[in-house]
């Protein structure tokens, strides 16, 4: 019995270690993407300054250049602002990484500034939902078919979260339970984490699939 407990404990330790390593790698990808975006902004900023300096002797051309720059800025994707600072941080970090993978994103979110739910737990739910959605999209061969839709809002005094992603191939399911289709068993912790955190707050998780799409809904009492 002791040998079984020892072997079982080591197996769990390996799965947890693999899961933690996966989280660290994912976080590094997100930070690297943010740095690359910032370097792009710096490069553009430098070019705009050089162009405006060259036009200082031509006020009308400078004025036209500034108007064009203003128009360009209004078409840039705005940072998603939900009303909750911590949720803003996790959503914008994840969505920035997702967009860098050539996945079409449509997101709308409103979150109260004050929550009964721990913001750390809420961010863990959102992070796992978006990680799962991104990896499902990346398994599709055709990049133009990849999409993720995010909606977060208040519904009947509950925080309603819905993440829908494109899905190709067979979705594994046993009874009413969807299984992780990722390569490592450790990734299954993400699905369990969402369910356990929802249970912690007497919430509700619903997963459903249809041809070409998979959706997860989470309801959390406010």
């Amino acid at each position: 019995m002791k040998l079984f407990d020892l072997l079982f404990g080591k197996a769990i330790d390996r799965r947890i270690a693999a899961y933690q390593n996966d989280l660290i790698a994912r976080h590094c990808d997100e930070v690297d993407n943010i740095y690359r975006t910032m370097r792009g902004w710096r490069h553009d900023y430098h070019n705009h300054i050089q162009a405006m300096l060259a036009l200082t002797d031509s006020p009308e051309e400078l004025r036209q250049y500034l108007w064009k720059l203003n128009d360009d800025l209004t078409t840039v994707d705005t940072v998603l602002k939900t009303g909750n600072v911590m949720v803003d941080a996790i959503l914008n970090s994840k969505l920035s990484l997702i967009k860098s993978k050539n996945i079409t994103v449509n997101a709308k979110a409103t979150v109260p500034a004050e929550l009964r739910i721990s913001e750390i737990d809420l961010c863990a739910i959102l992070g796992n939902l978006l990680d799962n959605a991104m990896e499902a999209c990346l398994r599709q061969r055709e990049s133009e078919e990849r999409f993720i839709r995010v909606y977060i809002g208040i519904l009947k005094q509950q925080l309603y979260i819905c993440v829908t992603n494109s899905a190709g191939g067979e979705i594994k399911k046993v009874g009413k339970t969807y299984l992780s289709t990722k390569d490592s068993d450790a990734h299954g912790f993400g699905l369990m984490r969402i369910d356990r955190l929802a249970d912690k707050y007497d919430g509700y998780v619903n997963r459903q699939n249809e041809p070409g799409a998979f959706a997860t809904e989470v309801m959390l009492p406010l």
Side-chain angles (χ1 to χ4, degrees), residues 120-188:
I120 293 174
D121 288 344
L122 178 56
C123 287
I125 290 172
L126 293 172
N128 279 298
L129 285 172
L130 291 171
D131 285 344
N132 290 343
M134 180 178 71
E135 293 188 5
C137 287
L138 293 178
R139 285 195 294 274
Q140 294 180 267
R141 293 182 180 178
E142 303 298 329
S143 60
E144 60 270 16
E145 296 179 1
R146 300 171 182 170
F147 70 83
I148 292 176
R149 293 193 294 266
V150 180
Y151 177 80
I152 305 173
I154 310 301
L155 179 64
K156 297 180 180 179
Q157 297 184 334
Q158 298 194 71
L159 185 65
Y160 174 73
I161 303 167
C162 182
V163 176
T164 305
N165 59 268
S166 55
E170 182 182 0
I171 295 177
K172 298 180 182 179
K173 187 178 181 182
V174 175
K176 295 183 179 180
T177 303
Y178 288 92
L179 304 177
S180 171
T181 56
K182 301 168 189 174
D183 295 332
S184 170
D185 289 340
H187 290 289

Side-chain angles (χ1 to χ4, degrees), residues 61-106:
E61 290 184 42
L62 178 58
R63 184 189 300 274
Q64 292 178 8
Y65 183 87
L66 288 171
W67 276 116
K68 288 180 181 179
L69 182 58
N70 182 68
D71 291 340
D72 286 341
L73 287 174
T74 59
T75 62
V76 173
D77 288 340
T78 57
V79 172
L80 192 62
K81 295 181 180 179
T82 68
N84 184 288
V85 175
M86 283 193 67
V87 174
D88 288 352
I90 186 71
L91 280 179
N92 285 298
S93 173
K94 294 292 183 183
L95 294 179
S96 176
L97 179 63
I98 289 169
K99 290 177 182 178
S100 75
K101 304 290 185 182
N102 295 318
I103 299 172
T104 301
V105 175
N106 187 307

Side-chain angles (χ1 to χ4, degrees), residues 115-125 158 193-204 218-222:
L115 293 167
R116 170 195 162 200
I117 311 154
S118 161
E119 290 178 326
I120 293 174
D121 288 344
L122 178 56
C123 287
I125 290 172
Q158 298 194 71
R193 182 80 171 135
I194 295 169
D195 293 341
R196 289 176 179 173
L197 287 172
D199 287 342
K200 178 179 177 180
Y201 296 99
D202 297 321
Y204 170 78
V218 180
M219 299 280 281
L220 299 168
L222 291 173

